[in-house]
């Protein structure tokens, strides 16, 4: 019951005094109560838990979480290494590297 | 938009594991509090591929697992009374009480229905004015706002045939109880991302300071979990103990203010018994006085006194991070997801069920 999944908000409507929404979860459409996320806009991703939106996904933060690695990898690659400073041609690693595990 | 897939990216995960490997120099015990995270960790085999210095222990963050036996018994008691239509989240139905489960009660004729949200229970109350519709409102801070909204809406619509059997529990008091126990081994925490989406993380600052323990708000995908572990290990190695947020796309520092206010309006904090752990001060929620008319315990005049658990199941020690499911004699033998002896085997978020699913997969792989 603790599983919350992000769905894309495709419609906002009122029902018995509650703000509700229809969300698209990778093709599956379901409704959720939006009373706790009044800021949610059509097209945004809303984290839904047991039929209630609890948080609007911050796309910038989502990109950042992933981008840090992309950038690190890209920067390191420019210097011809991976992110741990090892040569990209794959020869050896720094001392104490637990590769054998 | 980059979503679920990217947070499961094997290449990013590999880099994170490598970074953890570079950071760790000695053994650390880290607890993930949330059963959803336990499930994801075991399913993705993260516990197998992390450096051996890092031991992940599984916390009590599975609502199905910690809902007291006495409440399961109360649910069955209410559900089997004439004129009652009992509703519950699906995963509560199979939890064994002291005399069978809600599912067995249903097979014996009780009107028990699975709902995805308490708003569906309200719908049933409107459609069945001659029935007393009861919703089993359980779970952590994540589901409490839903129960609260149902109570408010029932009040607004004057739905007098609706009530809530409330057994909500709160995470911070449980963490404090675990950290304060003499047997505690846990040195760092991964905080449940979806609980924090509601509560924020300022409450955890005190705990991190008082116990000198790093706590990291963590999501549920492999990349989220590995980032959480990396942040936790980096702090441990440097001797730091902060609260950090590695699930920033969904969690803000103050949490969800509207949800928090609504919960406070409807519920008040009480001491609560946790299944397998015992009484924890200020760790539960019950309806406030203005909502007493929607309290199923009052409507059906039920007294919930703690009930003793059966002997063989060690789920209490598992929920406190003291033992692993494999150490239980019944694991996989008398106790399987089809024939659960303890709550940690019932819910897919329970540690025993997660281990069972994983060991099954290993066996399948060996056979194929
Ligand atoms: S395997 Fe079953 S009996 Fe053993 S601890 Fe887990 S739930 Fe309890």
């Amino acid at each position: 019951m603790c599983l919350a999944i992000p769905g894309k908000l495709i419609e906002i409507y009122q029902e018995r005094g509650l703000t509700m929404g229809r969300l698209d979860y990778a093709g599956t459409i379901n409704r959720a109560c939006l009373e706790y996320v009044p800021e949610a806009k059509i097209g945004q991703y809303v984290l839904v838990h047991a039929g209630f939106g609890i948080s609007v996904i911050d796309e910038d933060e989502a990109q950042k979480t992933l981008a840090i690695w992309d950038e690190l990898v890209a920067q390191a690659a420019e210097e011809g290494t991976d992110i741990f400073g090892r040569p990209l041609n794959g020869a050896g690693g720094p001392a104490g590297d637990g590769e054998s595990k | 938009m980059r979503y679920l897939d990217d947070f499961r990216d094997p290449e990013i995960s590999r880099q994170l594991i490598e970074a953890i490997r570079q950071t760790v120099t000695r053994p650390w015990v880290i607890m993930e509090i949330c059963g959803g995270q336990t499930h994801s960790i075991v399913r993705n085999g993260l516990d197998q591929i992390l450096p051996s210095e890092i031991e992940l222990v599984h916390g009590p963050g599975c609502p199905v697992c910690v809902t007291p036996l006495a409440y399961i018994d109360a649910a069955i008691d209410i559900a089997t009374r004439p004129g009652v239509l009992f509703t519950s989240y699906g995963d509560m139905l199979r939890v064994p009480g002291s005399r069978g489960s809600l599912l067995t009660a249903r097979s014996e004729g009780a009107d028990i229905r699975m709902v995805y949200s308490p708003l569906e229970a309200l719908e049933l109350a409107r459609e069945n004015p001659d029935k007393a519709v009861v919703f089993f409102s359980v779970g952590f801070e994540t589901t409490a706002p839903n129960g609260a909204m149902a109570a408010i809406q029932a009040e607004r619509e004057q739905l007098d045939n609706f009530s809530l059997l409330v057994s909500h529990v709160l995470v911070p008091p449980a963490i404090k109880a675990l950290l304060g126990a003499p047997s505690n081994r846990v040195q760092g925490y991964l905080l449940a991302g979806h609980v924090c989406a509601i509560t924020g993380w300022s409450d955890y600052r005190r705990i991190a300071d008082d116990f000198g323990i790093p706590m990291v708000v963590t999501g549920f995908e492999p990349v989220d979990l590995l980032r959480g572990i990396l942040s936790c290990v980096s702090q441990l190695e440097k001797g730091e103990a902060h609260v950090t947020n590695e699930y920033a796309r969904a969690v803000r520092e103050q949490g969800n203010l509207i949800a928090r206010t609504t919960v406070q309006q409807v519920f008040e904090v009480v001491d609560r018994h946790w299944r397998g752990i015992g009484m924890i001060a200020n760790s539960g929620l019950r309806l406030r006085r203005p909502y007493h008319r929607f309290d199923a315990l009052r409507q059906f005049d039920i007294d919930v006194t703690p009930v003793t658990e059966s002997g063989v199941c060690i789920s209490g020690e598992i929920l406190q991070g003291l033992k692993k499911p494999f150490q239980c004699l019944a694991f996989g033998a008398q106790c399987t997801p089809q024939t659960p002896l303890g709550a940690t085997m019932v819910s897919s978020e329970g540690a025993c069920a997660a281990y069972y699913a994983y060991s099954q997969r290993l066996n399948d792989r060996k056979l194929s």
Side-chain angles (χ1 to χ4, degrees), chain A residues 1-2 4 16 35-36 38 45 49-50 52 54-59 61 63 65-66 69 73 84 97, chain B residues 1-3 6 15-16 18-19 91 117 126 143 145-146 149 153 194 227 248-250 252 256 258 262 349:
Chain A
M1 108 191 33
C2 276
R16 295 179 189 273
E35 284 290 314
Y36 294 133
Y45 281 82
H49 184 264
F52 284 73
I54 59 171
S55 167
V56 177
I57 300 284
D58 183 330
E59 296 210 18
E61 289 291 350
Q63 306 282 14
T65 303
L66 297 162
W69 292 93
V73 173
F84 306 109
D97 179 20
Chain B
M1 182 65 198
R2 310 170 64 178
Y3 263 105
D6 284 10
Q15 290 169 6
L16 281 164
E18 208 47 52
D91 34 9
S117 145
R126 288 184 206 107
T143 46
N146 307 10
M149 187 62 77
Q153 190 66 13
H194 295 151
R227 282 180 67 103
R249 69 183 180 284
R252 274 111 237 174
N256 186 320
I258 308 174
T262 310
E349 290 164 19

Side-chain angles (χ1 to χ4, degrees), chain B residues 310-319 323-337 339-346 350-353 356:
Chain B
S310 87
V312 49
C313 177
I314 58 162
S315 63
E317 284 154 288
I318 293 171
L319 291 169
K323 288 200 173 152
K324 294 276 164 69
F326 291 136
Q327 288 167 273
C328 174
L329 292 175
F331 178 82
Q334 301 107 291
C335 187
T336 67
T339 56
L341 293 182
T344 42
M345 188 59 98
V346 171
C352 294
Y356 186 83

Side-chain angles (χ1 to χ4, degrees), chain B residues 194-214:
Chain B
H194 295 151
V195 167
C196 293
I198 300 288
T199 64
W201 68 81
S202 46
D203 279 358
Y204 293 101
R205 284 231 174 85
R206 269 290 302 273
I207 305 179
D209 284 350
D210 288 355
F211 292 93
I213 289 250

